[in-house]
Amino acid sequence: MKVSGFSYIRNGFTFGYPFLQSIQSILPICDEFVIAVGNSTDNTREAIVNLRSPKIKIIDTVWDESLREGGKIFAQQCNVALNQITGDWGFHIQADEVIHENDLDKIYKAMEKYKDSSKVEGLLFQFLNFYGNYDYTGNTRRWHRKEIRVIRNHLNIQSYRDSQGFRKYPSTEAFNNHHKGFKLQVKQLDVPIYHYSYVRPPELMQKKARYFNSFWHDDNWVESNIKGREFDYYQVDDLKLFTGTHPKLMSEVIDRENLPFDISKIKHNFTLRERFLFLVEKYSGIRIGEYKNYILI
């Protein structure tokens, strides 16, 4: 069995992505790791080269700044890497996601278990969405709970929408003609993705938010909606204390960057409807109307 990791990144240091930790977290169970590295100005590419892993294959890309609708650039860059993998399985890891070392064996065994089960087209992971600092996670509907991160290769599977997930297409032509594709049939793993998208210092988080949203909206929208020098982490609905352990690869980052965060100051910005749905989920575990870009088998 051959496993191919794949990802994409541009200016990882500039926007505070733990991309080196992300790559290294799955490298032990990968036979190769293909990464699309966009035209960066902060030594992102050099840092990846300095990992000195013979498994890593860099594809140099130039981001199309005109793709400012629906985050299409992220799926496009993901597919640049995906289309170069050669393994039986493709393991996608995004630049703000890290896998715990204790879970690698479980993931690898699942890939072995389902390698010859043609009905299984992917593996579904749970998400720990860290917010504010490394001690709290988002636990409401604003956070995605599950995503596909391992896919079977050679099925004409491509990244979907803004690199939110994956779908299978009847042909390359159908994909190029914007066919919606088909949801993948997946098995769920009891393995979390450690997602560190919202744990940067407030000024850096605001910088990242402005840049990130520029691939969804025009300049006027960004100027009107992403205001001020610092991101206000307290404008959030609800959070949960994290009591587990972080991946060892994140230890140095956490020691350096785990800023104080007073959970008592969060604003609990729920609408009446959101609060009702939150309470239903809190006490029943059911997320009514949850978007699922997969078919669980």
Side-chain angles (χ1 to χ4, degrees), residues 178-211:
H178 309 295
H179 188 287
K180 289 184 178 180
F182 303 102
K183 294 181 180 182
L184 303 189
Q185 297 186 107
V186 301
K187 289 288 187 179
Q188 181 173 321
L189 300 188
D190 183 23
V191 173
I193 300 287
Y194 288 68
H195 184 212
Y196 297 110
S197 187
Y198 282 84
V199 286
R200 297 160 175 82
E203 285 191 16
L204 184 55
M205 186 67 231
Q206 191 76 332
K207 181 179 180 180
K208 185 256 185 182
R210 291 178 65 87
Y211 181 70

Side-chain angles (χ1 to χ4, degrees), residues 85-101:
I85 68 172
T86 61
D88 301 294
W89 294 104
F91 193 161
H92 180 49
I93 190 85
Q94 297 194 0
D96 53 11
E97 299 172 356
V98 179
I99 296 292
H100 201 293
E101 63 277 3

Side-chain angles (χ1 to χ4, degrees), residues 15-199:
F15 297 105
Y17 283 90
F19 65 99
L20 295 176
Q21 290 80 7
S22 174
I23 296 169
Q24 292 175 94
S25 74
I26 71 168
L27 210 52
I29 61 171
C30 293
D31 297 283
E32 66 176 1
F33 190 99
V34 181
I35 183 163
V37 180
N39 46 317
S40 301
T41 56
D42 64 353
N43 294 317
T44 288
R45 189 187 194 282
E46 291 78 2
I48 296 172
V49 171
N50 286 337
L51 290 177
R52 302 189 185 284
S53 171
K55 296 180 180 181
I56 296 174
K57 176 184 178 182
I58 293 174
I59 302 174
D60 293 301
T61 67
V62 176
W63 283 34
D64 183 353
E65 301 284 353
S66 69
L67 290 179
R68 299 186 66 169
E69 179 186 350
K72 290 180 179 178
I73 187 64
F74 303 115
Q76 187 261 334
Q77 288 293 303
C78 180
N79 287 330
V80 167
L82 168 57
N83 292 335
Q84 294 297 316
I85 68 172
T86 61
D88 301 294
W89 294 104
F91 193 161
H92 180 49
I93 190 85
Q94 297 194 0
D96 53 11
E97 299 172 356
V98 179
I99 296 292
H100 201 293
E101 63 277 3
N102 292 345
D103 293 320
L104 291 175
D105 188 54
K106 187 182 295 186
I107 297 168
Y108 192 82
K109 285 180 177 177
M111 288 189 279
E112 284 188 316
K113 177 180 179 179
Y114 298 117
K115 178 182 177 293
D116 298 318
S117 301
S118 59
K119 287 185 178 180
V120 181
E121 298 169 330
L123 301 178
L124 189 70
F125 290 72
Q126 301 177 62
F127 267 67
L128 288 170
N129 298 291
F130 289 90
Y131 183 93
N133 69 8
Y134 295 92
D135 300 323
Y136 296 98
T137 59
N139 63 331
T140 66
R141 300 175 68 85
R142 75 163 61 210
W143 312 102
H144 54 290
R145 298 195 298 178
K146 301 172 184 178
E147 293 283 1
I148 299 168
R149 281 296 177 262
V150 171
I151 59 172
R152 189 180 295 279
N153 199 12
H154 311 302
L155 292 182
N156 208 23
I157 292 172
Q158 296 284 284
S159 183
Y160 184 62
R161 290 186 175 174
D162 59 352
S163 191
Q164 178 263 341
F166 297 90
R167 287 202 177 180
K168 183 171 67 173
Y169 294 85
S171 66
T172 301
E173 183 181 23
F175 172 74
N176 291 335
N177 289 331
H178 309 295
H179 188 287
K180 289 184 178 180
F182 303 102
K183 294 181 180 182
L184 303 189
Q185 297 186 107
V186 301
K187 289 288 187 179
Q188 181 173 321
L189 300 188
D190 183 23
V191 173
I193 300 287
Y194 288 68
H195 184 212
Y196 297 110
S197 187
Y198 282 84
V199 286

Side-chain angles (χ1 to χ4, degrees), residues 7-18:
S7 190
Y8 60 93
I9 186 63
R10 181 190 184 198
N11 285 327
F13 291 123
T14 299
F15 297 105
Y17 283 90

